[in-house]
Amino acid sequence: MRRLKRFLIGCFLIFPYYHCQNPITPDKISPNTKIIPNHYAEYFQLRVTEEDTLLHILNLAKQPIASYTWGKSFHTQNVQKIILRERIATLSVLFARMVDALGQGSNIIAIDNKDYVPSNLRLPPNCVSLQTSGILNIERLLGLSPHISFLYVMNQEDIGTYQRLQNKDHSVIFIQSHQEKHPLARAEWLRAISWVLGEPQKGDSLFNKIKNQYENLRTLSAALRKHTPKTHVMMNLPFQGAWFVPNSEAYFSQLLQDAGFAPSWKFSPSQSSQASIRISMEEAIAAIKTATIWLHPGTVTSRKEIVFSDSRLSFVDTLKSLKFYQFDKQLEPHGANAFWDLGALHPELILEDLIKINQHSLDSLYFYRAL
Amino acid sequence: MTAKGQATVLVIWIMALWAFNLLDMHRMDPWILHEFRIPRLWGALLTGMGLALSGLMMQTLFRNPLAGPYLLGVTPGATLGMALYFLTGTLSGLSLSPWGAKAASLVGAFGALAIQLTLSKGFKSPLKMLLIGMVMSYVFSAGVQLLMQFSNAQDLQRYTFWGMGNFEAFKSGDSWYLWVPIIAVFSWVWIHRNALDTYLLGDIYVQSSNWNLYHIRIGLILGGALLAGWITSFAGPIGFVGLIAPHITKRLLKSESHHKVLVPSILWGGALCMSADTLAHHVMAHTVLPVNPICALIGAPILIYSLSKQRA
């Protein structure tokens, strides 16, 4: 009993100690913190104080998982201060594309896999691959002495693993653009990167251009489809009977809706709206019969290959009004496809292609090719 | 409950599942009914029956009620064969054939069995076979994980989908490819039920009864393991059914005699798989859940309950 009492008393004494150790956020130091609002992105936040700027990276629950600062004086526990910016490692082709768009492509010293870099993204010749086997070669990364590493994590448990790599000369910046559901929200991470690299005006200007073009196209699409019913679209192909399609608020669903398409499958309200859902073959067949456009039919390069995924799809040959479009126009022999990185940074290019497909105006499609 | 009673209940359960799944058949396009709905139901039923039969044979072979079709390493071998097919970007030509995946899975299963036969040197010791099978499972799993590191996102995704298990890939006519081996293996087990009951008592009893111990073991291994590998190539790796179905039957009947447990075991397997497939299609609107986790969610509590009731 005595031991229990001592234990409880100890807990009461220790608790305030730990409470006092909690890092003080900038808000508590300065009441004049301004939040720089984002247009679409939800998972990063920029804050400006009198002497400093803060970037918070947020998880899906909108809680900060990492914080960065640069500026004159401010530094607290759990906030990484960014000092140097000349040597940049980008562990995704999309991040490299964003860095390059900001005019700092020549500072990229490492990327995840050079094989998947499209030829229209020129990296310095001494840029090395760090993740050819799917696992990051941490020792090689540290051996390159980067100043900034842009990477992403799928599990929160990995955050601690990568934050260990940080020191006063090396900042690990988590670019969680994959968490965003809207295409412009993903592209807006260009602004976060631009602030980190000290080019905020350039980033804001580039993003505003992308946003304006996208929004203009969306308005144009709405005007074009005002008095006509939406075109029904089908997507993907099954594999071994498993057919996945995007749910209502998934990335590609947003693009389809903005382009004036109506998905011919039903969304699942009981699953995450941002996720892909698996539909039954019966639902897929019913969806195919109502669709007039079919996008992303697996990896096929011609219509006749569709039957190889499932011989029961041979009936699609009889549906003469059903048009197929594959996003492999920018596909390169070694597997790189600018659709994934350039398309993520410039969703207005994808939207433009989709609008043209919807309007049957197939001249100068950028990413898509009719099968 | 007697074996006959159990079998009757299970047949009614299976018929009820068929009726539930075909409630809307009068509104369906006959082509969809015959090409998708009915083949899926047959696929679920036959997969469950085949895995249960394979599981029963493995439990007999190892004289262990917790043995399953995966223990000899044949199913992990089939999985590795499938992974090689998907994750190396497929073999040219073979990849475009509807039978490419099944062939790769069978080659993996046969290869694993060949290794097992070579290393266990004539089935002298079931314990040795079990240990070799476990080690092979680890090795094949490691092989799959290594392949995954070097695959592209598309191949990785395809392998992942296949690994979740589903019956939607079954086409009309595919059920014959399962019926024939199931009937053949079932026939062998039924004909040798007396010998298998004696086998459960021990090697000495088999030898003293003039049964050929070697032939019994070969039959159990080849029938059980290849049936599991063959079914895996159609439906993907479906776990727990082969372990649970015979185990439940034996617990309910309080007997391990093949005279009694054979038919109810395979009916249990069919009922479990059909139930998992029905749940996968109806729990959430407009989406299909993977079958494998549902089989585990159904089977694990039953197994835990059964083990908790087991006398020390």
Side-chain angles (χ1 to χ4, degrees), chain A residues 116 132-135 239-242 244 266-268 270-271 277-283 285 289 298-299 308 310-312 315, chain B residues 28-29 31-32 35-37 40 86 96 101 149-150 152 154 158 161-162 166 168-171 281 284-290:
Chain A
Y116 292 116
T132 44
S133 66
I135 297 176
F239 191 76
Q240 298 289 303
F244 281 82
K266 291 190 175 57
F267 295 133
S268 172
S270 41
Q271 279 193 266
I277 53 172
R278 186 181 147 202
I279 59 175
S280 67
M281 288 293 291
E282 294 173 28
E283 279 201 55
I285 299 299
K289 289 184 175 175
T299 55
F308 293 130
D310 193 308
S311 57
R312 295 170 290 186
F315 77 96
Chain B
M28 284 176 76
D29 178 346
W31 178 74
I32 291 182
E35 287 293 328
F36 293 92
R37 183 72 63 92
R40 173 170 63 85
F86 292 154
L96 301 180
Q149 294 306 316
F150 295 100
N152 62 44
Q154 194 115 31
R158 287 157 63 181
F161 295 166
W162 177 80
N166 85 96
E168 298 251 20
F170 277 90
K171 302 179 185 52
H281 279 83
M284 286 190 184
H286 306 303
T287 191
V288 180
L289 300 176

Coordinates of all heavy atoms in Angstrom, one line a residue, chain A residues 116 132-135 239-242 244 266-268 270-271 277-283 285 289 298-299 308 310-312 315, chain B residues 28-29 31-32 35-37 40 86 96 101 149-150 152 154 158 161-162 166 168-171 281 284-290:
Chain A
Y116 N 12.6 6.4 -63.6 CA 11.2 6.8 -63.8 C 11.1 8.4 -64.0 O 10.0 8.9 -63.8 CB 10.3 6.4 -62.6 CG 10.2 4.9 -62.6 CD1 10.7 4.1 -61.6 CD2 9.5 4.3 -63.7 CE1 10.5 2.7 -61.6 CE2 9.3 2.9 -63.7 CZ 9.8 2.1 -62.6 OH 9.7 0.8 -62.7
T132 N 16.1 2.5 -55.8 CA 15.8 1.6 -56.9 C 15.1 0.3 -56.5 O 14.3 -0.3 -57.2 CB 17.1 1.3 -57.7 OG1 18.1 1.0 -56.7 CG2 17.5 2.5 -58.5
S133 N 15.4 -0.1 -55.3 CA 14.8 -1.4 -54.8 C 13.5 -1.2 -54.1 O 12.9 -2.1 -53.5 CB 15.7 -2.2 -53.9 OG 15.9 -1.4 -52.7
G134 N 13.0 0.1 -54.0 CA 11.8 0.4 -53.3 C 12.1 0.8 -51.8 O 11.2 1.4 -51.2
I135 N 13.3 0.5 -51.3 CA 13.6 0.9 -50.0 C 14.7 2.0 -50.0 O 15.6 1.9 -50.8 CB 14.2 -0.3 -49.1 CG1 13.1 -1.3 -49.0 CG2 14.6 0.2 -47.8 CD1 13.5 -2.6 -48.3
F239 N -8.6 -7.3 -62.6 CA -7.5 -8.3 -62.6 C -7.9 -9.5 -61.7 O -8.2 -9.2 -60.5 CB -6.2 -7.8 -62.1 CG -5.1 -8.8 -62.4 CD1 -4.7 -9.0 -63.7 CD2 -4.6 -9.5 -61.4 CE1 -3.7 -9.9 -64.0 CE2 -3.7 -10.5 -61.7 CZ -3.2 -10.7 -62.9
Q240 N -8.0 -10.6 -62.2 CA -8.4 -11.8 -61.5 C -9.8 -11.5 -60.8 O -10.0 -11.9 -59.6 CB -7.4 -12.2 -60.4 CG -6.1 -12.6 -61.0 CD -6.2 -14.0 -61.7 OE1 -6.5 -15.0 -61.2 NE2 -5.8 -14.0 -63.0
G241 N -10.7 -10.8 -61.5 CA -12.0 -10.5 -61.0 C -12.1 -9.3 -60.1 O -13.2 -9.0 -59.6
A242 N -11.0 -8.7 -59.7 CA -11.0 -7.5 -58.9 C -11.0 -6.3 -59.7 O -10.0 -6.0 -60.5 CB -9.8 -7.6 -57.9
F244 N -11.2 -2.2 -59.5 CA -11.1 -1.0 -58.6 C -11.4 0.3 -59.4 O -10.9 0.5 -60.5 CB -9.7 -0.9 -58.0 CG -9.6 -1.8 -56.8 CD1 -9.2 -3.2 -57.1 CD2 -9.7 -1.4 -55.5 CE1 -9.0 -4.0 -56.0 CE2 -9.6 -2.3 -54.5 CZ -9.2 -3.6 -54.7
K266 N -21.5 3.2 -59.3 CA -22.0 3.8 -58.1 C -21.0 4.0 -57.0 O -20.2 3.0 -56.8 CB -23.2 3.0 -57.5 CG -24.4 3.0 -58.5 CD -25.6 2.4 -57.7 CE -26.9 2.5 -58.6 NZ -26.8 1.8 -59.9
F267 N -21.0 5.1 -56.4 CA -20.0 5.3 -55.3 C -20.5 4.5 -54.0 O -21.6 4.2 -53.9 CB -19.9 6.8 -55.0 CG -19.3 7.6 -56.1 CD1 -19.9 8.8 -56.5 CD2 -18.2 7.2 -56.8 CE1 -19.4 9.6 -57.5 CE2 -17.7 7.9 -57.8 CZ -18.2 9.1 -58.2
S268 N -19.5 4.3 -53.2 CA -19.8 3.6 -52.0 C -19.8 4.5 -50.8 O -18.7 5.1 -50.5 CB -18.8 2.5 -51.7 OG -18.9 1.9 -50.4
S270 N -20.2 3.9 -47.7 CA -19.7 3.3 -46.5 C -18.1 3.2 -46.5 O -17.6 2.7 -45.5 CB -20.3 1.9 -46.2 OG -20.4 1.2 -47.4
Q271 N -17.5 3.6 -47.5 CA -16.0 3.6 -47.5 C -15.5 5.0 -47.7 O -16.2 5.9 -48.0 CB -15.5 2.8 -48.7 CG -15.5 1.3 -48.4 CD -14.7 0.5 -49.4 OE1 -15.3 0.0 -50.4 NE2 -13.5 0.4 -49.2
I277 N -12.5 2.0 -54.6 CA -13.4 1.0 -54.1 C -13.4 -0.2 -55.1 O -13.1 0.0 -56.3 CB -14.8 1.5 -53.9 CG1 -15.3 2.2 -55.2 CG2 -14.9 2.4 -52.8 CD1 -16.8 2.5 -55.2
R278 N -13.6 -1.4 -54.6 CA -13.7 -2.5 -55.5 C -15.1 -2.8 -55.8 O -16.0 -3.0 -54.9 CB -13.0 -3.7 -54.8 CG -12.9 -4.9 -55.8 CD -12.3 -6.1 -55.1 NE -12.9 -7.3 -55.7 CZ -13.0 -8.5 -55.1 NH1 -12.5 -8.7 -54.0 NH2 -13.6 -9.5 -55.7
I279 N -15.5 -2.9 -57.1 CA -16.9 -3.2 -57.4 C -16.9 -4.6 -58.0 O -15.9 -5.1 -58.4 CB -17.4 -2.2 -58.5 CG1 -16.6 -2.2 -59.7 CG2 -17.5 -0.8 -57.9 CD1 -17.1 -1.3 -60.9
S280 N -18.1 -5.2 -57.9 CA -18.3 -6.5 -58.4 C -18.2 -6.5 -59.9 O -18.5 -5.5 -60.5 CB -19.6 -7.1 -57.9 OG -20.7 -6.5 -58.5
M281 N -17.9 -7.7 -60.5 CA -17.9 -7.8 -61.9 C -19.3 -7.4 -62.5 O -19.4 -6.8 -63.6 CB -17.5 -9.2 -62.4 CG -16.1 -9.5 -62.1 SD -14.9 -8.6 -63.2 CE -15.3 -9.2 -64.8
E282 N -20.3 -7.8 -61.8 CA -21.7 -7.5 -62.3 C -21.9 -6.0 -62.4 O -22.5 -5.5 -63.4 CB -22.7 -8.2 -61.4 CG -22.7 -9.7 -61.4 CD -23.6 -10.3 -60.4 OE1 -24.6 -9.6 -60.0 OE2 -23.3 -11.4 -59.9
E283 N -21.5 -5.3 -61.3 CA -21.7 -3.9 -61.4 C -20.9 -3.2 -62.5 O -21.3 -2.3 -63.1 CB -21.3 -3.3 -60.0 CG -22.3 -3.4 -58.9 CD -22.1 -2.4 -57.8 OE1 -22.0 -1.2 -58.1 OE2 -22.0 -2.8 -56.7
I285 N -20.0 -4.6 -65.3 CA -20.6 -4.9 -66.6 C -21.8 -3.9 -66.8 O -21.9 -3.3 -67.9 CB -21.1 -6.3 -66.7 CG1 -19.9 -7.3 -66.6 CG2 -21.9 -6.6 -68.0 CD1 -18.9 -7.2 -67.6
K289 N -22.0 -0.9 -69.8 CA -23.1 -0.8 -70.8 C -23.7 0.6 -70.9 O -24.3 1.0 -71.9 CB -24.2 -1.8 -70.5 CG -23.7 -3.3 -70.8 CD -24.8 -4.3 -70.5 CE -24.3 -5.7 -71.0 NZ -25.3 -6.7 -70.7
G298 N -6.5 -0.4 -68.0 CA -5.3 -1.2 -67.5 C -4.0 -0.7 -68.2 O -3.7 0.5 -68.3
T299 N -3.3 -1.7 -68.7 CA -2.0 -1.3 -69.4 C -2.1 -1.7 -70.9 O -1.1 -1.8 -71.6 CB -0.9 -2.1 -68.9 OG1 -1.2 -3.5 -68.9 CG2 -0.6 -1.7 -67.4
F308 N -8.0 -9.9 -72.9 CA -7.0 -10.7 -72.2 C -7.2 -10.6 -70.6 O -6.7 -11.5 -69.9 CB -5.6 -10.4 -72.6 CG -5.3 -10.7 -74.0 CD1 -4.8 -9.8 -74.9 CD2 -5.6 -12.0 -74.5 CE1 -4.5 -10.1 -76.2 CE2 -5.4 -12.3 -75.9 CZ -4.8 -11.4 -76.7
D310 N -10.0 -10.3 -69.1 CA -11.2 -11.2 -68.7 C -11.9 -11.5 -70.0 O -12.4 -10.6 -70.7 CB -12.1 -10.6 -67.7 CG -13.1 -11.5 -67.1 OD1 -13.8 -12.3 -67.9 OD2 -13.2 -11.6 -65.9
S311 N -12.0 -12.8 -70.4 CA -12.6 -13.2 -71.7 C -14.0 -12.8 -71.8 O -14.5 -12.6 -72.9 CB -12.4 -14.7 -71.9 OG -13.0 -15.4 -70.9
R312 N -14.7 -12.5 -70.7 CA -16.1 -12.2 -70.7 C -16.3 -10.7 -71.2 O -17.4 -10.3 -71.4 CB -16.7 -12.3 -69.3 CG -16.7 -13.8 -68.9 CD -17.1 -14.0 -67.4 NE -16.1 -13.5 -66.5 CZ -16.1 -13.7 -65.2 NH1 -17.1 -14.3 -64.7 NH2 -15.1 -13.3 -64.5
F315 N -17.6 -8.8 -75.2 CA -18.8 -8.1 -75.7 C -18.5 -6.6 -76.0 O -19.3 -6.0 -76.7 CB -19.9 -8.2 -74.8 CG -19.9 -7.3 -73.6 CD1 -20.5 -6.1 -73.5 CD2 -19.1 -7.7 -72.4 CE1 -20.4 -5.3 -72.4 CE2 -19.0 -6.9 -71.3 CZ -19.7 -5.7 -71.3
Chain B
M28 N -32.4 -10.1 -63.4 CA -31.0 -10.0 -64.0 C -31.0 -10.3 -65.5 O -31.8 -11.2 -65.9 CB -30.1 -11.0 -63.3 CG -29.7 -10.5 -61.9 SD -28.7 -11.7 -61.1 CE -27.2 -11.5 -62.0
D29 N -30.1 -9.8 -66.1 CA -29.8 -10.2 -67.5 C -29.3 -11.6 -67.4 O -28.4 -11.9 -66.7 CB -28.6 -9.2 -68.0 CG -28.2 -9.6 -69.4 OD1 -28.5 -10.6 -69.9 OD2 -27.5 -8.7 -70.0
W31 N -27.4 -13.3 -69.2 CA -26.0 -13.5 -69.5 C -25.2 -13.2 -68.3 O -24.2 -13.9 -68.0 CB -25.6 -12.5 -70.7 CG -24.2 -12.5 -71.0 CD1 -23.5 -13.5 -71.7 CD2 -23.2 -11.5 -70.7 NE1 -22.2 -13.2 -71.8 CE2 -21.9 -12.0 -71.2 CE3 -23.2 -10.3 -70.0 CZ2 -20.8 -11.3 -71.0 CZ3 -22.1 -9.6 -69.9 CH2 -20.9 -10.1 -70.4
I32 N -25.5 -12.2 -67.5 CA -24.8 -11.8 -66.3 C -25.0 -13.0 -65.3 O -24.1 -13.4 -64.6 CB -25.2 -10.5 -65.7 CG1 -24.8 -9.4 -66.7 CG2 -24.7 -10.3 -64.3 CD1 -25.1 -8.0 -66.2
E35 N -22.9 -15.9 -66.6 CA -21.4 -15.7 -66.8 C -20.7 -15.2 -65.5 O -19.5 -15.3 -65.4 CB -21.2 -14.7 -67.9 CG -21.5 -15.2 -69.3 CD -20.5 -16.3 -69.7 OE1 -19.3 -16.3 -69.3 OE2 -20.9 -17.2 -70.4
F36 N -21.5 -14.6 -64.6 CA -20.9 -14.0 -63.4 C -21.4 -14.5 -62.1 O -20.6 -14.9 -61.3 CB -21.1 -12.4 -63.5 CG -20.3 -11.8 -64.6 CD1 -21.0 -11.6 -65.8 CD2 -19.0 -11.4 -64.5 CE1 -20.3 -11.0 -66.9 CE2 -18.3 -10.8 -65.6 CZ -19.0 -10.6 -66.8
R37 N -22.7 -14.4 -61.9 CA -23.3 -14.7 -60.6 C -23.1 -16.2 -60.3 O -22.6 -16.6 -59.2 CB -24.8 -14.3 -60.6 CG -25.4 -14.5 -59.2 CD -25.0 -13.6 -58.1 NE -25.3 -12.2 -58.5 CZ -26.5 -11.6 -58.1 NH1 -27.4 -12.2 -57.4 NH2 -26.7 -10.3 -58.4
R40 N -19.5 -17.5 -59.9 CA -18.9 -17.0 -58.6 C -19.4 -17.9 -57.5 O -18.6 -18.3 -56.6 CB -19.3 -15.5 -58.4 CG -18.9 -15.0 -57.0 CD -19.1 -13.5 -56.9 NE -20.5 -13.1 -57.0 CZ -21.3 -13.1 -56.0 NH1 -21.0 -13.4 -54.8 NH2 -22.6 -12.6 -56.2
F86 N 3.5 -12.2 -61.9 CA 3.0 -10.9 -61.8 C 4.2 -9.9 -61.8 O 4.2 -8.9 -62.4 CB 2.2 -10.6 -60.6 CG 0.8 -11.3 -60.6 CD1 0.2 -11.6 -59.4 CD2 0.2 -11.6 -61.7 CE1 -1.0 -12.2 -59.4 CE2 -1.0 -12.3 -61.7 CZ -1.6 -12.6 -60.5
L96 N -0.3 -13.1 -71.7 CA -1.6 -12.8 -72.4 C -2.6 -13.9 -72.4 O -3.7 -13.8 -72.8 CB -1.3 -12.3 -73.8 CG -0.3 -11.1 -74.0 CD1 -0.1 -10.8 -75.4 CD2 -0.9 -9.9 -73.2
A101 N -1.6 -17.3 -65.6 CA -1.5 -17.2 -64.1 C -1.6 -18.5 -63.5 O -0.9 -18.9 -62.5 CB -2.5 -16.2 -63.6
Q149 N 10.1 -5.8 -54.0 CA 11.0 -4.6 -54.0 C 11.3 -4.2 -55.3 O 11.6 -3.0 -55.6 CB 12.2 -5.0 -53.2 CG 12.0 -5.2 -51.7 CD 11.3 -4.1 -51.0 OE1 11.5 -2.9 -51.2 NE2 10.3 -4.5 -50.2
F150 N 11.4 -5.1 -56.3 CA 11.9 -4.8 -57.6 C 10.8 -4.6 -58.6 O 11.0 -4.4 -59.8 CB 12.9 -5.8 -58.1 CG 14.2 -5.8 -57.2 CD1 14.4 -6.8 -56.3 CD2 15.1 -4.8 -57.4 CE1 15.5 -6.7 -55.5 CE2 16.3 -4.8 -56.6 CZ 16.4 -5.8 -55.6
N152 N 7.2 -3.0 -60.4 CA 6.7 -1.7 -60.5 C 5.3 -1.7 -59.8 O 4.8 -2.7 -59.4 CB 6.5 -1.3 -62.0 CG 5.6 -2.2 -62.8 OD1 4.6 -2.6 -62.3 ND2 6.1 -2.6 -64.0
Q154 N 2.3 -1.2 -60.8 CA 1.2 -1.9 -61.4 C 1.2 -3.4 -61.1 O 0.2 -4.0 -60.7 CB 1.3 -1.8 -62.9 CG 0.1 -2.2 -63.7 CD -0.6 -1.0 -64.4 OE1 0.1 -0.1 -64.8 NE2 -1.9 -1.0 -64.5
R158 N -1.4 -5.7 -58.8 CA -2.0 -6.9 -59.3 C -1.8 -8.1 -58.4 O -2.7 -8.9 -58.1 CB -1.5 -7.3 -60.7 CG -2.1 -6.3 -61.8 CD -1.2 -6.3 -63.0 NE -1.2 -7.5 -63.7 CZ -0.4 -7.7 -64.8 NH1 0.3 -6.7 -65.3 NH2 -0.4 -8.9 -65.4
F161 N -4.0 -7.6 -55.2 CA -5.4 -8.0 -55.4 C -5.6 -9.5 -55.4 O -6.5 -10.0 -54.9 CB -5.9 -7.4 -56.8 CG -5.9 -5.9 -56.9 CD1 -6.0 -5.3 -58.1 CD2 -5.7 -5.1 -55.7 CE1 -6.0 -3.9 -58.2 CE2 -5.7 -3.8 -55.8 CZ -5.8 -3.2 -57.1
W162 N -4.7 -10.2 -56.1 CA -4.8 -11.6 -56.2 C -4.7 -12.2 -54.8 O -5.4 -13.2 -54.5 CB -3.7 -12.2 -57.1 CG -3.7 -13.6 -57.2 CD1 -4.5 -14.4 -58.0 CD2 -2.8 -14.5 -56.5 NE1 -4.2 -15.8 -57.8 CE2 -3.1 -15.8 -56.9 CE3 -1.8 -14.4 -55.6 CZ2 -2.5 -17.0 -56.4 CZ3 -1.1 -15.5 -55.1 CH2 -1.5 -16.8 -55.5
N166 N -10.5 -13.9 -54.2 CA -11.8 -13.6 -54.6 C -12.3 -14.6 -55.7 O -11.5 -15.3 -56.3 CB -11.9 -12.1 -55.2 CG -11.6 -12.1 -56.6 OD1 -12.4 -12.1 -57.5 ND2 -10.3 -12.0 -57.0
E168 N -14.6 -13.8 -58.1 CA -15.2 -13.1 -59.3 C -14.5 -13.5 -60.6 O -15.1 -13.3 -61.7 CB -15.0 -11.6 -59.1 CG -15.8 -11.1 -57.9 CD -17.0 -10.3 -58.3 OE1 -17.5 -10.5 -59.4 OE2 -17.4 -9.5 -57.4
A169 N -13.3 -14.1 -60.5 CA -12.6 -14.5 -61.8 C -13.1 -15.8 -62.3 O -12.8 -16.2 -63.4 CB -11.1 -14.6 -61.5
F170 N -14.0 -16.5 -61.6 CA -14.5 -17.8 -62.0 C -15.4 -17.6 -63.2 O -16.4 -16.7 -63.1 CB -15.2 -18.5 -60.9 CG -14.3 -19.3 -60.0 CD1 -13.8 -18.7 -58.9 CD2 -14.0 -20.6 -60.3 CE1 -12.9 -19.4 -58.1 CE2 -13.2 -21.3 -59.5 CZ -12.6 -20.7 -58.3
K171 N -15.2 -18.3 -64.3 CA -16.1 -18.2 -65.5 C -16.9 -19.4 -65.6 O -16.6 -20.4 -64.9 CB -15.2 -18.0 -66.7 CG -14.3 -16.8 -66.7 CD -13.5 -16.7 -67.9 CE -12.5 -15.6 -67.9 NZ -11.6 -15.6 -66.7
H281 N -19.9 -9.4 -50.5 CA -20.7 -8.7 -51.5 C -21.9 -7.9 -50.9 O -22.4 -7.0 -51.6 CB -21.3 -9.7 -52.5 CG -20.3 -10.1 -53.6 ND1 -19.4 -11.0 -53.4 CD2 -20.1 -9.6 -54.8 CE1 -18.6 -11.1 -54.5 NE2 -19.0 -10.3 -55.4
M284 N -21.2 -4.1 -47.5 CA -21.1 -2.6 -47.9 C -21.7 -2.4 -49.2 O -21.5 -3.3 -50.1 CB -19.6 -2.2 -47.9 CG -19.0 -2.0 -46.5 SD -17.4 -1.2 -46.7 CE -16.9 -1.2 -45.1
A285 N -22.4 -1.4 -49.4 CA -23.1 -1.1 -50.6 C -22.1 -0.7 -51.7 O -21.2 0.0 -51.5 CB -24.1 0.1 -50.5
H286 N -22.3 -1.3 -52.9 CA -21.5 -0.9 -54.1 C -20.1 -1.1 -54.0 O -19.3 -0.5 -54.6 CB -21.8 0.6 -54.4 CG -23.2 0.9 -54.6 ND1 -24.1 0.2 -55.5 CD2 -24.0 1.8 -53.9 CE1 -25.3 0.7 -55.3 NE2 -25.3 1.7 -54.4
T287 N -19.7 -2.1 -53.1 CA -18.3 -2.4 -53.1 C -18.1 -3.8 -52.6 O -19.0 -4.4 -52.0 CB -17.5 -1.4 -52.1 OG1 -16.1 -1.6 -52.3 CG2 -17.8 -1.6 -50.7
V288 N -17.0 -4.4 -52.9 CA -16.8 -5.8 -52.6 C -15.6 -5.9 -51.7 O -14.5 -5.4 -52.0 CB -16.5 -6.7 -53.8 CG1 -16.3 -8.1 -53.5 CG2 -17.7 -6.6 -54.8
L289 N -15.7 -6.6 -50.6 CA -14.6 -6.8 -49.6 C -13.8 -8.0 -50.0 O -14.3 -8.9 -50.7 CB -15.1 -6.9 -48.2 CG -16.0 -5.8 -47.7 CD1 -16.5 -6.1 -46.3 CD2 -15.1 -4.5 -47.6
P290 N -12.5 -8.0 -49.7 CA -11.7 -9.2 -50.0 C -12.2 -10.4 -49.1 O -12.5 -10.2 -48.0 CB -10.3 -8.8 -49.6 CG -10.4 -7.6 -48.7 CD -11.7 -6.9 -49.0

